[in-house]
Amino acid sequence: AAKAAGEFSMEQAKNAAEKGASMTSSVTSSVTAPLSGGLSGVTGSLGGLTSMVPGMTSNYKGSLCSDDSPLVETSVRVATLSVWWRHHEWEERQERIVEALRGINADIICLQDVWAEAGKGGKNQAQAIAEALDLKFAFEGKKTINDGDGVPCITGCAVLSKWNITASSLKPLSASGYEDEGRCVLRAEIEGERGPIHAYSASLCTKLGASDARIAQVKEVCNFIKSAKSPPPKEGEKAPLPVLCGMFGGAPDSDELRMLTGRAPVPVKELVFVDAWESAGEGPGATWSTTNPFASAELLPSKRTSYVMAPPPSAGGRGHVTKAAVFANSLIPGVLPPSCHYGVVADIRY
């Protein structure tokens, strides 16, 4: 994957995360951790990794990737961002969204709280962003809501990709007795240059006390992932790489997130994900942050609510997260942030 524009050093990243609103870097350099360079301390193949203890080597084969496949050195860059629908000066924010996404140069982008004007010929936010970035896109939604000007708009999820999207499908998620916000998950089947990728963009209930709703929605998301119908890979071909991204509402230690990462009973047997930030991020990684003026107005503490989830590493380390960063978080005096949420971008061996 290409380097993100205007990358920070590790020390600058740490200072930027602490100073928040005092940052003066441009929107297009809005990444809080560098995404370039190799994986420090790891060389060779998975059949015999060089030990990080000087003078010692090991032939141990990890249980999840226990073969002699050479370590995959290429990666796919995946990003996720909730674009906050048509709230608060959305037209100006749209420009900031495009700038932030252009700055990270991701191969696949998952967007949530995306809008499309209802009716023939209406504007489509995912299409506008995809055209600005020269990407393919898939958008689907089910619920129609009137915006502040009374314009009926469909709310949904989108996936943007540098490669062809061969199919897409939507799963509306239940509200479990809460207000129906049109939450859903979109699957995009992508014809990647080194094998197929199934990218999932999910938007879960955001209400503070609605963990029960999010638990039910996580179960629906996992069963939707399980339902993906792909022909068995032929000899020499790879099975689709599943990547789950989205605005999940809950913190990493919440029951709903623990179900995804295997710290609680999983909804679907053997379906478990690795949290990209936990694997390769540095610092708190808050995406709902008091440094964001839109979020700080809610008077709630900072936390991680947006995630990139990768599968456990397989042959050659495929699926291993090597780098992760928060983006769309550069704050410039007098300039609106792209969203009330910050985004997450990760490099995954592929």
Side-chain angles (χ1 to χ4, degrees):
K3 294 182 179 179
E7 293 161 337
F8 295 147
S9 69
M10 293 300 294
E11 187 61 32
Q12 287 173 313
K14 188 179 297 183
N15 292 339
E18 293 172 351
K19 293 179 181 178
S22 65
M23 293 172 62
T24 58
S25 56
S26 70
V27 174
T28 56
S29 62
S30 54
V31 180
T32 64
L35 286 168
S36 63
L39 183 66
S40 175
V42 179
T43 59
S45 71
L46 293 179
L49 293 181
T50 300
S51 170
M52 284 181 268
V53 179
M56 296 182 65
T57 59
S58 171
N59 290 319
Y60 173 68
K61 298 179 179 180
S63 60
L64 291 176
C65 38
S66 56
D67 65 8
D68 292 317
S69 301
L71 192 62
V72 174
E73 298 295 346
T74 54
S75 63
V76 57
R77 179 164 292 175
V78 180
T80 188
L81 178 66
S82 167
V83 294
W84 202 28
W85 205 60
R86 284 164 73 113
H87 296 298
H88 196 76
E89 300 186 51
W90 62 269
E91 290 176 300
E92 181 179 343
R93 289 193 303 101
Q94 177 91 342
E95 297 177 13
R96 305 287 83 78
I97 290 167
V98 170
E99 290 171 354
L101 292 173
R102 182 177 286 119
I104 58 171
N105 195 28
D107 302 308
I108 296 172
I109 301 168
C110 294
L111 302 176
Q112 302 83 45
D113 300 323
V114 187
W115 56 263
E117 293 177 355
K120 186 176 181 180
K123 296 178 182 178
N124 183 308
Q125 185 182 30
Q127 181 179 5
I129 295 173
E131 289 177 351
L133 299 175
D134 195 23
L135 299 174
K136 286 79 173 175
F137 81 98
F139 165 82
E140 291 190 43
K142 185 176 181 181
K143 188 174 179 62
T144 299
I145 305 172
N146 288 345
D147 71 359
D149 295 322
V151 178
C153 293
I154 300 168
T155 179
C157 291
V159 174
L160 282 57
S161 171
K162 67 182 293 185
W163 301 301
N164 288 334
I165 299 174
T166 58
S168 65
S169 53
L170 184 78
K171 167 66 177 175
L173 302 177
S174 59
S176 299
Y178 296 91
E179 179 186 357
D180 183 4
E181 302 172 306
R183 301 301 174 184
C184 57
V185 56
L186 174 70
R187 174 173 56 233
E189 300 177 24
I190 298 170
E191 193 175 32
E193 64 182 7
R194 294 181 295 279
I197 298 173
H198 285 182
Y200 294 85
S201 181
S203 175
L204 307 188
C205 180
T206 59
K207 296 185 184 299
L208 189 62
S211 181
D212 56 336
R214 290 188 288 273
I215 287 172
Q217 290 171 344
V218 163
K219 292 178 180 178
E220 292 174 327
V221 168
C222 289
N223 279 289
F224 181 60
I225 294 173
K226 180 185 177 182
S227 72
K229 304 298 183 183
S230 297
K234 299 177 182 178
E235 185 176 353
E237 294 182 343
K238 298 179 178 69
L241 179 76
V243 181
L244 172 61
C245 302
M247 202 287 299
F248 298 158
D253 61 352
S254 63
D255 290 342
E256 52 268 33
L257 267 296
R258 292 169 61 242
M259 291 166 63
L260 287 171
T261 57
R263 290 177 172 87
V266 296
V268 174
K269 187 176 181 180
E270 297 185 353
L271 181 61
V272 67
F273 290 91
V274 175
D275 178 355
W277 188 263
E278 186 174 70
S279 181
E282 293 189 4
T287 55
W288 178 266
S289 173
T290 55
T291 65
N292 186 318
F294 292 138
S296 64
E298 301 295 330
L299 306 180
L300 293 171
S302 299
K303 64 178 179 178
R304 284 206 292 132
T305 57
S306 295
Y307 300 83
V308 173
M309 297 276 185
S314 59
R318 188 170 179 259
H320 173 224
V321 180
T322 59
K323 302 172 185 70
V326 172
F327 76 98
N329 60 340
S330 288
L331 303 177
I332 304 172
V335 178
L336 291 177
S339 171
C340 63
H341 298 272
Y342 297 150
V344 180
V345 56
D347 286 353
I348 303 170
R349 291 190 190 274
Y350 161 71

